Amino acid sequence: MGQLWANTGSALATLMFTYTIFKQWFPQFGDHLEPFFQRIFGRFYPYIQITFHEYSGEQFKRSEAYLGIQSYLSKDSSSRAKKLKANTTKGSKSLVLSMDDKEEITDKFEDITVWWQSKKEGTVRQTFSFYPAADEKRYYMLRFHRRDREVIIERYLEHVMSEGKKIELKNRERKLYSNTPGQSHGNQTKWSHVTFEHPATFDTLAMEEKKKEEIKSDLIKFSKSKDYYKNIGKAWKRGYLLFGPPGTGKSTMIAAMANFLEYDVYDLELTTVKDNTQLRRLLIETSAKSIIVIEDIDCSLNLTGQRKKKEEEEEDGDEKKTMEKKMMKNEGENSESKVTLSGLLNFIDGLWSACGGERIIVFTTNFVDKLDPALIRKGRMDKHIEMSYCGFEAFKVLAKNYLHVEGSELFEEIKRLLEVEEIKMTPADVGENLLPKSEGEEGEACLRRLVEALKEEKEEAKRRVEEEERQKKEEEEEKKRRKEKKAEREAEKEKKKKNEENGEAEH
């Protein structure tokens, strides 16, 4: 049998050599005979080859398939290939190592071995163009046994593209986007971006460990639930409402979520959006694996309480007018935006919200009770997270972050003030007190400063309560005086009316 294969191989080699010579001397017959020789050669050659060119279709645009294969092979190239080349890819945070030209590595999939080769055709010629020379073409060649055709075509290539895309996303340079008014195309709003470099993580977040683990588990489950969302017929997105007093870490939480999932962040400023149409356009232009943030939603636009009943509006009329005046003052009386509550709701979970997929929408607010219930119901804001004042567990995280201190005699005093005395201080204020103010200041000094600040806050809180009680008493007295004056006016009015009636009767 071995002798038979040796003779067959020798015959094929002779045949191919004869064909090459014949084609060189009689090129006019070569094109006609080539299919014949290919059929003969194919009967004995058991392998199939697929070529993926670097540039195909649109000129000067690199093939997405080629880039996906390059990313997929990069994970094995550094350990298997003998010759490598390092490229800097636009938008990537690190060098991409890939096989050099004419290198080959093997890959396994479902116990099937395939061979990848990096090849180049043509020669380099001098050119003043910014693009590669037209006669130099790079490509990847995949070779596999013909018996594995079905597995390779139906599953392996899809696996390569999927894994390559994941590697691209992991290595990409993440962005922080903001919407700013454009200078062209009818002054439309568009996204601009900078590199997202916020250092916040869940490890450095000042929050109870149990609560952090709950949020992390929720995020992990969401990121792995593509098929689940598809099966239940919902867009692959999730809403988070972060509420609490200023300084409790709402923005830091968003940065930690983005770093944990390796998502981009889109900071949406509603006051710069002209109308609902522009809002939809901005949504379409966001990418998957991103967090869309609307901070201080209660102050962004007058979208709060639009569905209150008339009776409630009359009861809260004075308070509502005060809030509206405050909002208009804060936003410079921006009357140009025509974004409506209906448009915002459609942005969150309407038909357009399904574009792109794998997105998280985050609202932050200082006054959750001021928001329209339709805006924050389950299905829109799926998870409500209260960002509260600093507790003892959160303090320990801050002490470790700021001072690298995990234990001290002052910890018991701080615990008593925070938990027993229930002194309310935000993580931002606690962190400011823990921050060393000079080069040689030690951790104990910073902790003592925090203790003094907590005691001062206790006295200040007491004064605020007394002031509020005083104001409340004055308001009640003022109400009583107004009521008495109103009663006097009514009595005077009634007396005058009776006098007039008596005068008419005598007349």
Side-chain angles (χ1 to χ4, degrees):
M1 181 62 70
Q3 185 64 33
L4 176 61
W5 280 110
N7 293 337
T8 303
S10 178
L12 283 173
T14 303
L15 185 62
M16 291 303 296
F17 177 75
T18 305
Y19 169 66
T20 303
I21 298 299
F22 181 83
K23 187 176 179 181
Q24 182 177 357
W25 287 95
F26 303 99
Q28 64 274 24
F29 299 105
D31 293 339
H32 298 287
L33 294 175
E34 185 170 357
F36 171 73
F37 281 98
Q38 289 289 350
R39 284 197 299 272
I40 295 176
F41 187 71
R43 288 180 181 274
F44 299 95
Y45 188 70
Y47 295 98
I48 297 174
Q49 295 178 344
I50 302 179
T51 302
F52 302 87
H53 289 277
E54 183 178 13
Y55 292 90
S56 60
E58 296 182 19
Q59 194 175 11
F60 304 139
K61 185 175 181 181
R62 300 183 77 185
S63 166
E64 290 187 7
Y66 182 91
L67 294 174
I69 293 168
Q70 185 181 59
S71 297
Y72 174 78
L73 296 178
S74 66
K75 64 184 176 65
D76 292 326
S77 296
S78 57
S79 59
R80 297 185 185 181
K82 294 180 180 179
K83 292 195 301 180
L84 299 167
K85 58 183 177 182
N87 299 316
T88 54
T89 305
K90 183 179 180 181
S92 177
K93 62 184 179 183
S94 59
L95 288 172
V96 177
L97 295 177
S98 58
M99 294 185 294
D100 202 355
D101 299 328
K102 301 180 182 179
E103 275 289 287
E104 179 181 273
I105 63 173
T106 59
D107 190 27
K108 283 189 176 293
F109 179 77
E110 297 182 5
D111 295 327
I112 295 172
T113 301
V114 299
W115 293 264
W116 285 100
Q117 285 183 317
S118 176
K119 293 198 170 188
K120 179 177 68 173
E121 290 180 351
T123 57
V124 180
R125 59 183 173 83
Q126 296 296 326
T127 176
F128 292 101
S129 173
F130 289 101
Y131 302 101
D135 53 356
E136 183 182 35
K137 299 178 181 178
R138 284 186 171 84
Y139 59 92
Y140 285 112
M141 180 177 288
L142 171 64
R143 182 163 52 91
F144 55 92
H145 201 282
R146 64 174 64 178
R147 65 171 175 267
D148 303 319
R149 176 195 289 264
E150 184 177 347
V151 175
I152 299 301
I153 300 298
E154 294 184 1
R155 297 198 292 277
Y156 178 67
L157 291 179
E158 182 179 351
H159 165 75
V160 170
M161 293 296 105
S162 175
E163 291 299 314
K165 187 67 175 176
K166 289 179 182 178
I167 294 171
E168 284 181 21
L169 289 171
K170 186 175 182 179
N171 292 333
R172 82 191 191 283
E173 188 179 63
R174 292 186 298 116
K175 303 287 195 306
L176 171 61
Y177 294 85
S178 62
N179 58 308
T180 54
Q183 300 299 322
S184 59
H185 304 292
N187 199 31
Q188 293 179 355
T189 304
K190 57 184 180 181
W191 295 111
S192 60
H193 69 264
V194 295
T195 302
F196 183 73
E197 297 177 329
H198 201 292
T201 65
F202 278 101
D203 291 334
T204 61
L205 189 65
M207 181 181 284
E208 296 81 357
E209 194 63 31
K210 183 179 178 181
K211 196 170 182 179
K212 286 196 284 188
E213 290 301 322
E214 178 187 338
I215 296 168
K216 286 163 65 176
S217 297
D218 190 78
L219 292 171
I220 292 171
K221 183 179 179 181
F222 166 77
S223 66
K224 296 181 178 179
S225 299
K226 179 179 181 180
D227 294 335
Y228 176 76
Y229 277 85
K230 183 178 180 181
N231 290 337
I232 64 176
K234 290 186 64 176
W236 191 12
K237 64 174 185 60
R238 190 158 177 79
Y240 284 78
L241 176 67
L242 308 182
F243 64 95
T248 51
K250 294 185 286 293
S251 297
T252 306
M253 167 66 80
I254 295 169
M257 291 167 64
N259 287 328
F260 182 71
L261 294 174
E262 297 186 334
Y263 282 8
D264 293 325
V265 178
Y266 288 83
D267 185 14
L268 178 61
E269 177 54 62
L270 284 178
T271 56
T272 67
V273 183
K274 186 177 180 182
D275 51 30
N276 295 336
T277 302
Q278 276 196 9
L279 188 63
R280 287 195 297 271
R281 187 180 297 116
L282 285 169
L283 175 64
I284 293 171
E285 291 176 357
T286 61
S287 61
K289 291 186 178 294
S290 61
I291 298 178
I292 301 173
V293 181
I294 303 180
E295 294 202 80
D296 298 322
I297 183 67
D298 53 308
C299 298
S300 293
L301 287 173
N302 187 16
L303 299 171
T304 58
Q306 290 188 5
R307 300 189 181 195
K308 280 187 176 180
K309 292 181 180 180
K310 187 175 181 180
E311 295 82 5
E312 293 176 340
E313 290 181 349
E314 289 176 355
E315 288 179 6
D316 300 336
D318 293 338
E319 184 179 357
K320 182 180 176 184
K321 286 179 181 178
T322 303
M323 281 297 298
E324 286 180 352
K325 288 178 181 178
K326 184 178 179 181
M327 289 162 56
M328 294 296 283
K329 182 179 180 181
N330 290 340
E331 301 302 327
E333 299 187 359
N334 189 334
S335 59
E336 294 181 2
S337 179
K338 296 181 181 179
V339 175
T340 63
L341 178 62
S342 175
L344 187 59
L345 296 181
N346 190 50
F347 174 88
I348 299 169
D349 67 350
L351 293 175
W352 293 95
S353 67
C355 301
E358 195 172 0
R359 279 187 291 229
I360 290 176
I361 299 175
V362 178
F363 287 169
T364 72
T365 180
N366 297 332
F367 308 100
V368 66
D369 55 329
K370 298 296 181 182
L371 298 180
D372 193 297
L375 191 65
I376 59 175
R377 69 164 174 79
K378 299 295 183 181
R380 288 184 176 132
M381 294 294 106
D382 305 283
K383 191 169 183 63
H384 296 190
I385 303 173
E386 182 178 6
M387 307 297 291
S388 59
Y389 291 100
C390 188
F392 184 64
E393 284 191 42
F395 156 75
K396 289 193 292 184
V397 175
L398 292 172
K400 183 179 179 180
N401 293 343
Y402 282 78
L403 305 174
H404 305 290
V405 173
E406 297 188 30
S408 169
E409 294 178 355
L410 293 171
F411 271 36
E412 287 301 320
E413 176 67 8
I414 293 171
K415 183 177 182 180
R416 184 186 67 80
L417 292 169
L418 291 174
E419 293 187 352
V420 180
E421 300 288 345
E422 296 184 347
I423 297 174
K424 294 181 179 180
M425 182 175 284
T426 65
D429 289 334
V430 172
E432 179 60 30
N433 283 287
L434 292 177
L435 186 68
K437 306 302 180 184
S438 61
E439 185 67 27
E441 189 173 23
E442 296 181 352
E444 288 296 314
C446 297
L447 291 173
R448 283 194 293 271
R449 181 168 58 242
L450 175 61
V451 170
E452 293 301 319
L454 287 170
K455 291 179 179 178
E456 289 177 7
E457 178 61 29
K458 180 182 178 180
E459 295 299 321
E460 182 63 28
K462 185 178 179 181
R463 285 195 293 270
R464 285 198 298 268
V465 170
E466 292 174 353
E467 180 65 20
E468 288 174 1
E469 289 179 351
R470 185 185 63 79
Q471 289 182 355
K472 186 177 180 181
K473 187 177 180 181
E474 289 180 355
E475 288 174 0
E476 288 176 354
E477 290 177 353
E478 180 65 23
K479 255 185 205 179
K480 186 178 179 181
R481 284 196 297 270
R482 288 180 180 178
K483 191 175 181 180
E484 290 174 351
K485 287 183 179 180
K486 184 178 180 182
E488 289 177 0
R489 287 196 300 269
E490 292 293 332
E492 185 68 26
K493 188 176 179 182
E494 186 66 24
K495 182 179 179 181
K496 185 178 180 181
K497 184 178 179 182
K498 285 183 179 180
N499 291 335
E500 290 176 351
E501 289 175 354
N502 293 332
E504 289 178 358
E506 291 176 359
H507 182 71

Short mmCIF file of all heavy atoms in Angstrom, two decimals, residues 45 47-50 104 113-117 141-145:
data_model
loop_
_atom_site.label_atom_id
_atom_site.label_comp_id
_atom_site.label_asym_id
_atom_site.label_seq_id
_atom_site.Cartn_x
_atom_site.Cartn_y
_atom_site.Cartn_z
N TYR A 45 -6.22 14.87 -3.68
CA TYR A 45 -5.85 15.82 -2.62
C TYR A 45 -7.02 15.95 -1.65
O TYR A 45 -8.11 16.41 -2.03
CB TYR A 45 -5.51 17.18 -3.23
CG TYR A 45 -4.94 18.17 -2.24
CD1 TYR A 45 -3.66 18.00 -1.72
CD2 TYR A 45 -5.68 19.27 -1.82
CE1 TYR A 45 -3.12 18.90 -0.82
CE2 TYR A 45 -5.16 20.19 -0.93
CZ TYR A 45 -3.87 20.00 -0.43
OH TYR A 45 -3.34 20.89 0.47
N TYR A 47 -7.69 17.86 0.98
CA TYR A 47 -7.88 19.08 1.77
C TYR A 47 -8.61 20.16 0.98
O TYR A 47 -8.52 20.24 -0.25
CB TYR A 47 -6.54 19.62 2.26
CG TYR A 47 -5.85 18.70 3.23
CD1 TYR A 47 -4.84 17.82 2.79
CD2 TYR A 47 -6.22 18.67 4.56
CE1 TYR A 47 -4.23 16.96 3.69
CE2 TYR A 47 -5.60 17.81 5.46
CZ TYR A 47 -4.61 16.95 5.02
OH TYR A 47 -4.01 16.10 5.89
N ILE A 48 -9.33 20.99 1.74
CA ILE A 48 -10.06 22.13 1.18
C ILE A 48 -9.43 23.40 1.74
O ILE A 48 -9.02 23.45 2.90
CB ILE A 48 -11.55 22.07 1.56
CG1 ILE A 48 -12.20 20.82 0.95
CG2 ILE A 48 -12.28 23.34 1.11
CD1 ILE A 48 -13.63 20.62 1.41
N GLN A 49 -9.36 24.43 0.90
CA GLN A 49 -8.78 25.70 1.30
C GLN A 49 -9.79 26.83 1.14
O GLN A 49 -10.52 26.87 0.14
CB GLN A 49 -7.53 26.01 0.47
CG GLN A 49 -6.39 25.02 0.69
CD GLN A 49 -5.19 25.33 -0.18
OE1 GLN A 49 -5.30 26.08 -1.15
NE2 GLN A 49 -4.06 24.73 0.15
N ILE A 50 -9.83 27.73 2.14
CA ILE A 50 -10.67 28.93 2.07
C ILE A 50 -9.77 30.14 2.27
O ILE A 50 -8.95 30.17 3.20
CB ILE A 50 -11.78 28.92 3.13
CG1 ILE A 50 -12.65 27.68 2.99
CG2 ILE A 50 -12.63 30.18 3.02
CD1 ILE A 50 -13.75 27.59 4.04
N GLU A 104 2.48 29.67 9.75
CA GLU A 104 1.34 28.76 9.85
C GLU A 104 1.20 28.27 11.29
O GLU A 104 2.19 27.96 11.95
CB GLU A 104 1.53 27.56 8.91
CG GLU A 104 0.37 26.55 8.99
CD GLU A 104 0.56 25.36 8.07
OE1 GLU A 104 0.17 25.46 6.90
OE2 GLU A 104 1.11 24.33 8.54
N THR A 113 -8.63 19.19 13.53
CA THR A 113 -7.45 20.04 13.36
C THR A 113 -7.55 20.81 12.06
O THR A 113 -7.87 20.24 11.01
CB THR A 113 -6.17 19.20 13.36
OG1 THR A 113 -6.08 18.49 14.60
CG2 THR A 113 -4.94 20.09 13.21
N VAL A 114 -7.30 22.12 12.14
CA VAL A 114 -7.27 22.97 10.94
C VAL A 114 -5.94 23.73 10.93
O VAL A 114 -5.27 23.84 11.96
CB VAL A 114 -8.46 23.96 10.91
CG1 VAL A 114 -9.78 23.23 10.91
CG2 VAL A 114 -8.39 24.92 12.10
N TRP A 115 -5.57 24.22 9.77
CA TRP A 115 -4.32 24.95 9.62
C TRP A 115 -4.62 26.35 9.09
O TRP A 115 -5.38 26.52 8.12
CB TRP A 115 -3.39 24.22 8.65
CG TRP A 115 -2.90 22.91 9.17
CD1 TRP A 115 -1.74 22.64 9.80
CD2 TRP A 115 -3.60 21.65 9.07
NE1 TRP A 115 -1.65 21.31 10.11
CE2 TRP A 115 -2.78 20.67 9.68
CE3 TRP A 115 -4.83 21.26 8.53
CZ2 TRP A 115 -3.15 19.34 9.76
CZ3 TRP A 115 -5.20 19.93 8.62
CH2 TRP A 115 -4.36 18.98 9.24
N TRP A 116 -4.03 27.36 9.76
CA TRP A 116 -4.15 28.74 9.32
C TRP A 116 -2.79 29.22 8.81
O TRP A 116 -1.77 29.02 9.48
CB TRP A 116 -4.58 29.65 10.46
CG TRP A 116 -6.03 29.55 10.84
CD1 TRP A 116 -6.56 28.84 11.87
CD2 TRP A 116 -7.13 30.20 10.19
NE1 TRP A 116 -7.93 29.01 11.92
CE2 TRP A 116 -8.30 29.83 10.89
CE3 TRP A 116 -7.24 31.04 9.08
CZ2 TRP A 116 -9.57 30.29 10.53
CZ3 TRP A 116 -8.49 31.50 8.71
CH2 TRP A 116 -9.64 31.13 9.43
N GLN A 117 -2.80 29.87 7.65
CA GLN A 117 -1.57 30.44 7.09
C GLN A 117 -1.78 31.91 6.81
O GLN A 117 -2.86 32.34 6.37
CB GLN A 117 -1.19 29.73 5.78
CG GLN A 117 -0.60 28.34 5.96
CD GLN A 117 -0.18 27.75 4.61
OE1 GLN A 117 -0.89 27.86 3.62
NE2 GLN A 117 0.99 27.12 4.60
N MET A 141 -5.29 31.95 4.89
CA MET A 141 -5.78 30.75 4.22
C MET A 141 -6.06 29.69 5.27
O MET A 141 -5.21 29.36 6.09
CB MET A 141 -4.77 30.22 3.20
CG MET A 141 -5.26 28.96 2.48
SD MET A 141 -4.10 28.39 1.23
CE MET A 141 -4.34 29.65 -0.03
N LEU A 142 -7.29 29.18 5.24
CA LEU A 142 -7.70 28.11 6.13
C LEU A 142 -7.70 26.79 5.36
O LEU A 142 -8.29 26.69 4.29
CB LEU A 142 -9.10 28.40 6.68
CG LEU A 142 -9.79 27.28 7.46
CD1 LEU A 142 -9.01 26.97 8.74
CD2 LEU A 142 -11.23 27.64 7.78
N ARG A 143 -7.04 25.78 5.93
CA ARG A 143 -6.98 24.46 5.29
C ARG A 143 -7.50 23.41 6.25
O ARG A 143 -7.14 23.40 7.42
CB ARG A 143 -5.53 24.16 4.87
CG ARG A 143 -5.33 22.84 4.15
CD ARG A 143 -3.99 22.82 3.42
NE ARG A 143 -2.89 23.19 4.30
CZ ARG A 143 -2.19 22.33 5.02
NH1 ARG A 143 -2.47 21.03 4.98
NH2 ARG A 143 -1.19 22.74 5.79
N PHE A 144 -8.37 22.54 5.74
CA PHE A 144 -8.95 21.48 6.56
C PHE A 144 -9.29 20.28 5.68
O PHE A 144 -9.36 20.40 4.45
CB PHE A 144 -10.20 21.98 7.29
CG PHE A 144 -11.25 22.56 6.38
CD1 PHE A 144 -12.27 21.77 5.87
CD2 PHE A 144 -11.22 23.91 6.02
CE1 PHE A 144 -13.24 22.29 5.03
CE2 PHE A 144 -12.18 24.44 5.19
CZ PHE A 144 -13.19 23.64 4.68
N HIS A 145 -9.51 19.14 6.31
CA HIS A 145 -9.83 17.92 5.56
C HIS A 145 -11.25 17.99 5.03
O HIS A 145 -12.15 18.51 5.68
CB HIS A 145 -9.67 16.69 6.46
CG HIS A 145 -9.48 15.41 5.72
ND1 HIS A 145 -10.54 14.75 5.12
CD2 HIS A 145 -8.36 14.69 5.43
CE1 HIS A 145 -10.09 13.65 4.53
NE2 HIS A 145 -8.76 13.59 4.71
#
